[in-house]
Amino acid sequence: RPEIIITDQDAAMKKAISEVFGTEVHRNCFWHIMRNSRENLGTFLKDRPELGKDLENVIYGSISKEEFDERWAAVLEKYDAKENATLKLMWKTRSMWAPAYFMDVFCPFIKTTGRSESTNSSFKDYVMRKDKIETFLQQCEIFQEEQAETERRDRFESNVQDPVFATMQMIERDAAKVYTRNMYLKFQMEIHNSAAYSIEEIEKGVKYSVHRLMDHDNLEFYRKTFSIEVDQTINSFNCICKKYNRDGLLCCHVLRLFTHLGIYKIPENY
């Protein structure tokens, strides 16, 4: 049984997935939701130019279900938008698409890159609407084999090619030893972005706040402050952004804390 299935808002697929796997594994593609909402709210937003920006702040800034619900309701109240049909549907289905509702679901880099749409587009090269189910299943196997070959090629290149370092930090050298090249490049971006933050010690060795001093590329959240809870007896560093839970990669906030604490290698459990 899969941990998560991402689809567009097709009613037939929703029904089938619910019957076979249950509702807890099904999510709607965030990329599609945002694209469709912009199209459907075009005229409505034109008359309320700040509404779109405030809604994006809620969507990209909320890190918990409770925070999302509270902030969404406040924005709709502010702009008298409670009766808009598109916003009502988005609210009703929020558990299917809002990032705050599956912060702990492992689904690497879907939110930040539109990867679900990219994968969907790639898969369309292998199947056609008129294909029979037998052909569809055969093409699925071919697609999986080619994806596995891409991963094997990435591992080979990671082993034989020397990485290009972007910083003088020792933890970047350590990352080059443990990650494949694609993952290393993503880690390298997090290391680079970590320089945009400062550290505030709330409780020595236990709790820290990380403050963004300037904007950087690939911002995942609009908020400027992130808290990190630490238990160094078990090498636990839990940031409220929960990037590691979602993407399997340490966030720039934790990496900034590592610099502050003098941690130069990626802990074994990460």
Side-chain angles (χ1 to χ4, degrees):
R1 163 176 163 160
E3 291 188 13
I4 186 169
I5 300 173
I6 300 176
T7 72
D8 58 18
Q9 293 171 288
D10 184 83
M13 293 184 71
K14 179 180 180 180
K15 183 174 185 295
I17 292 170
S18 176
E19 290 176 355
V20 177
F21 298 111
T23 58
E24 65 271 17
V25 301
H26 186 204
R27 297 290 186 272
N28 290 146
C29 173
F30 181 73
W31 186 89
H32 279 105
I33 293 289
M34 297 304 290
R35 184 195 63 180
N36 293 340
S37 65
R38 290 189 188 100
E39 292 176 356
N40 296 331
L41 290 168
T43 303
F44 192 75
L45 292 178
K46 188 176 180 180
D47 297 332
R48 302 163 178 80
E50 295 301 313
L51 172 58
K53 186 185 298 184
D54 284 355
L55 286 175
E56 284 195 357
N57 277 324
V58 173
I59 294 168
Y60 291 103
S62 301
I63 57 173
S64 70
K65 300 174 185 178
E66 296 76 17
E67 182 183 5
F68 178 88
D69 288 359
E70 183 178 332
R71 295 181 64 190
W72 182 277
V75 169
L76 265 57
E77 179 75 28
K78 176 181 177 181
Y79 292 95
D80 191 23
K82 292 181 179 180
E83 298 306 315
N84 178 272
T86 298
L87 293 175
K88 287 175 73 172
L89 180 60
M90 291 180 73
W91 170 258
K92 183 179 180 180
T93 60
R94 64 193 185 281
S95 64
M96 296 289 290
W97 63 267
Y101 271 77
F102 40 107
M103 295 286 284
D104 289 305
V105 177
F106 181 66
C107 199
F109 311 109
I110 289 294
K111 174 187 168 187
T112 56
T113 63
R115 183 178 169 190
S116 57
E117 176 59 18
S118 173
T119 303
N120 186 41
S121 177
S122 299
F123 190 67
K124 286 177 180 176
D125 294 336
Y126 291 78
V127 296
M128 301 178 65
R129 289 181 180 273
K130 63 181 180 181
D131 284 345
K132 295 181 179 179
I133 188 66
E134 293 85 356
T135 303
F136 172 77
L137 293 174
Q138 290 170 359
Q139 293 301 101
C140 280
E141 291 185 1
I142 294 173
F143 179 76
Q144 288 178 320
E145 289 172 2
E146 295 203 2
Q147 293 299 304
E149 176 59 29
T150 299
E151 291 184 8
R152 284 192 291 271
R153 192 182 310 118
D154 184 32
R155 289 186 180 278
F156 173 76
E157 292 176 353
S158 301
N159 290 329
V160 301
Q161 294 182 357
D162 292 329
V164 177
F165 299 119
T167 72
M168 298 298 292
Q169 295 201 46
M170 294 302 297
I171 198 169
E172 184 187 3
R173 272 70 175 166
D174 186 54
K177 298 175 184 177
V178 299
Y179 289 135
T180 60
R181 187 53 42 84
N182 283 339
M183 282 296 288
Y184 169 70
L185 292 175
K186 293 180 186 299
F187 182 90
Q188 197 175 58
M189 179 60 72
E190 295 298 319
I191 278 284
H192 175 74
N193 291 341
S194 70
Y197 294 82
S198 66
I199 294 290
E200 178 187 0
E201 186 177 77
I202 305 301
E203 184 178 351
K204 186 174 178 60
V206 175
K207 190 171 184 178
Y208 298 83
S209 285
V210 184
H211 306 286
R212 191 170 76 244
L213 303 177
M214 63 180 71
D215 290 346
H216 56 75
D217 293 337
N218 301 315
L219 274 176
E220 293 189 56
F221 296 94
Y222 288 176
R223 70 193 302 124
K224 290 183 177 293
T225 297
F226 299 81
S227 63
I228 302 175
E229 294 185 353
V230 176
D231 185 346
Q232 293 199 54
T233 62
I234 57 174
N235 281 330
S236 175
F237 302 86
N238 292 321
C239 180
I240 57 171
C241 82
K242 298 188 177 181
K243 182 176 181 64
Y244 183 79
N245 301 50
R246 298 190 315 278
D247 296 338
L249 190 71
L250 288 167
C251 63
C252 57
H253 318 118
V254 167
L255 292 176
R256 178 63 183 85
L257 179 61
F258 280 5
T259 300
H260 178 79
L261 296 176
I263 296 173
Y264 304 121
K265 294 186 68 175
I266 300 171
E268 287 290 333
N269 49 319
Y270 289 102

